[in-house]
Amino acid sequence: MSYDKVDVPEDGEAITLADEETGELNVPSNPIIPIIHGDGIGTDVGPAAQKVLDAAAEATGRSIAWMRVYAGESAREKYDENLPEDTVSAIRSHRVAIKGPLTTPVGAGFRSLNVALRQTLDMYANVRPTYHLEGVPSPVKNPEAMDMITFRENTEDVYAGVEWEAGTDEVEKVRRFLEDDMEVADVIHDGPVGIGVKPISEFGSKRLIREAIDYAVANDRDTVTLVHKGNIMKFTEGAFRDWGYEVAEEEYGDDVITEDELWDEHDGEQPEGTVVVNDRIADNMLQQLLTRTDEYEVIATMNLNGDYMSDAAGAQIGGLGIAPGANFGHGRCLAEPVHGSAPKYAGEDKVNPTAMILSGREMLDYLGWDDAADLVRDAVEETIASGQVTYDLHRQIDGGEKLATSEFAEAVVDKIDELA
């Protein structure tokens, strides 16, 4: 495939789809992988992550042919547009990619470039692992109790962007429909009002929950928790919960049991090799992340809850500067850190690239390069534990060596060489 706004590397091979039903990939030893460095601090953490991922690939007998693609500020500078179609096509065609943080400018025609990429590519599962690395300061006493992965539905909920602005003809039309045709009385206050729609579908809910349960089964996790506010939003978030239990009960046989079955049929003793599906109200779940951290392993939830939940979990293990993430769907992966673009630090070579590096680890794992993925995590953890850290962690610990972004990446590469 030829592109006008993307250069295809000559020394790599394309990743292809081996099985459409399962999403299994054919991954060569030198895959072409698109990368968006991102806006703001993306110019620092993007190259740092590349350096580490290159080292892990080389240490395990492979290589990555990076395909630089553009979105956000870099795309505006080069092509006077925020999200070139060539960028979307490159990610769609090559199936596995990684990106740094993007900032959507006012009046850009997008609510969010990050959301636009996920929705355009229908990457419906936003997956955020949360685990503590030795040596990272944390606001809680036992951060090591957190070892959880959140599956956040990526395409629906209030993030779908179906809303109308106060004062417009459109919002008044919606108001009249609700009040006159649907007889919604005494709910909407007089005066200007913004109105939004919260779509939660059976299709979108079930495919996300399947991803969460499949992960739990494949990775020997004991529980999957459906997080919702179904006690109030009965036909949206309550439906998500109900559809989740339908998936568990109808599609997984004896591999999956519900919490009720655990107590009614097994007296609370979980049969070996099973996954227990339960559910929790969202506000209570935020509390239990702190008070019963080790009881939760896999979370499945909707878009807004997932944003809140994963950020709160990230705070317990040291903050979003080290929190990785990735988006999945239809045999594709777009890895990305959880944090924002922090433009005031752009180009200063000082911020922590750990989140971008560990997002790359999720990408390597998706490729089936488990050995390289493990090398990345171990090397990052040992580097931090040794006291070699960027300024954000250095100011919270006694002693240690403060490193620039690029120096931290070099230290992790040195550790990979030691461990390999």
Side-chain angles (χ1 to χ4, degrees):
M1 180 176 293
S2 61
Y3 303 92
D4 295 328
K5 300 173 183 176
V6 175
D7 292 327
V8 181
E10 297 178 357
D11 56 347
E13 299 179 48
I15 297 170
T16 58
L17 187 64
D19 188 317
E20 187 168 350
E21 185 173 336
T22 65
E24 183 182 351
L25 301 177
N26 288 315
V27 180
S29 60
N30 59 337
I32 297 171
I33 295 182
I35 182 169
I36 301 170
H37 284 174
D39 296 332
I41 58 172
T43 58
D44 300 306
V45 301
Q50 274 185 262
K51 186 175 295 185
V52 171
L53 299 175
D54 277 335
E58 184 177 346
T60 54
R62 309 177 180 103
S63 64
I64 297 173
W66 295 106
M67 181 183 192
R68 182 79 188 276
V69 296
Y70 301 90
E73 185 176 352
S74 63
R76 289 194 300 277
E77 290 175 352
K78 290 177 70 70
Y79 305 115
D80 196 30
E81 57 182 313
N82 289 291
L83 186 58
E85 177 56 35
D86 278 358
T87 293
V88 177
S89 296
I91 297 171
R92 181 182 287 116
S93 299
H94 292 278
R95 298 200 161 269
V96 176
I98 184 169
K99 61 173 283 294
L102 295 175
T103 301
T104 304
V106 175
F110 294 95
R111 293 174 181 272
S112 163
L113 287 174
N114 297 306
V115 172
L117 268 170
R118 298 169 192 163
Q119 292 184 337
T120 300
L121 295 164
D122 198 26
M123 291 189 167
Y124 56 86
N126 180 237
V127 181
R128 297 185 174 183
T130 312
Y131 49 84
H132 184 248
L133 298 172
E134 183 184 352
V136 175
S138 166
V140 300
K141 291 181 178 178
N142 299 303
E144 66 279 357
M146 174 69 71
D147 185 10
M148 190 179 78
I149 185 163
T150 302
F151 284 75
R152 167 190 171 194
E153 205 289 321
N154 233 356
T155 65
E156 297 189 318
D157 202 1
V158 291
Y159 279 53
V162 185
E163 59 177 1
W164 297 271
E165 183 180 3
T168 62
D169 292 341
E170 290 81 6
V171 81
E172 290 305 316
K173 184 177 181 180
V174 174
R175 185 208 288 259
R176 288 194 300 271
F177 168 73
L178 291 172
E179 293 179 338
D180 298 343
D181 293 10
M182 301 304 293
E183 300 181 349
V184 175
D186 302 322
V187 173
I188 304 173
H189 295 295
D190 292 338
V193 60
I195 298 176
V197 175
K198 177 187 177 74
I200 303 291
S201 71
E202 179 180 12
F203 173 77
S205 298
K206 285 187 172 182
R207 68 177 179 174
L208 181 279
I209 293 163
R210 284 188 197 99
E211 291 282 347
I213 296 176
D214 287 346
Y215 175 88
V217 171
N219 291 276
D220 298 320
R221 297 283 189 146
D222 290 334
T223 62
V224 173
T225 302
L226 309 173
V227 178
H228 61 93
K229 194 65 178 167
N231 56 330
I232 303 299
M233 291 172 277
K234 300 181 184 298
F235 305 127
T236 52
E237 302 215 2
F240 177 90
R241 174 203 58 211
D242 295 343
W243 288 323
Y245 280 123
E246 284 182 14
V247 169
E249 293 169 357
E250 297 174 4
E251 299 182 17
Y252 288 89
D254 294 335
D255 291 334
V256 174
I257 61 174
T258 65
E259 191 170 43
D260 286 344
E261 291 170 334
L262 174 67
W263 291 100
D264 293 345
E265 300 176 16
H266 303 284
D267 298 322
E269 294 292 326
Q270 185 170 350
E272 186 175 353
T274 62
V275 173
V276 174
V277 173
N278 54 33
D279 74 278
R280 298 290 183 268
I281 301 297
D283 48 340
N284 181 45
M285 186 65 199
L286 285 167
Q287 173 182 251
Q288 296 207 28
L289 285 178
L290 282 168
T291 60
R292 299 186 178 186
T293 308
D294 60 358
E295 293 184 14
Y296 298 98
E297 299 187 15
V298 179
I299 302 296
T301 190
M302 289 146 288
N303 216 329
L304 183 60
N305 288 339
D307 207 354
Y308 292 154
M309 209 69 56
S310 56
D311 280 14
Q316 291 183 219
I317 52 92
L320 299 187
I322 59 170
N327 306 284
F328 300 98
H330 310 292
R332 293 185 177 89
C333 166
L334 176 61
E336 62 177 352
V338 173
H339 61 68
S341 59
K344 70 177 181 178
Y345 296 122
E348 294 187 6
D349 195 26
K350 66 181 292 185
V351 298
N352 192 342
T354 298
M356 183 82 170
I357 293 170
L358 291 180
S359 298
R361 179 212 176 199
E362 297 305 307
M363 182 190 78
L364 296 179
D365 188 63
Y366 188 73
L367 292 174
W369 296 3
D370 300 355
D371 48 356
D374 291 344
L375 262 182
V376 169
R377 173 175 170 159
D378 293 346
V380 168
E381 184 167 43
E382 291 196 19
T383 302
I384 294 173
S386 73
Q388 293 179 290
V389 293
T390 47
Y391 87 101
D392 56 316
L393 300 185
H394 186 264
R395 63 188 178 183
Q396 301 179 64
I397 64 175
D398 295 326
E401 180 184 0
K402 184 168 68 172
L403 301 179
T405 308
S406 56
E407 292 172 334
F408 179 80
E410 289 287 0
V412 175
V413 169
D414 290 344
K415 192 63 67 174
I416 286 174
D417 292 341
E418 290 178 22
L419 295 171

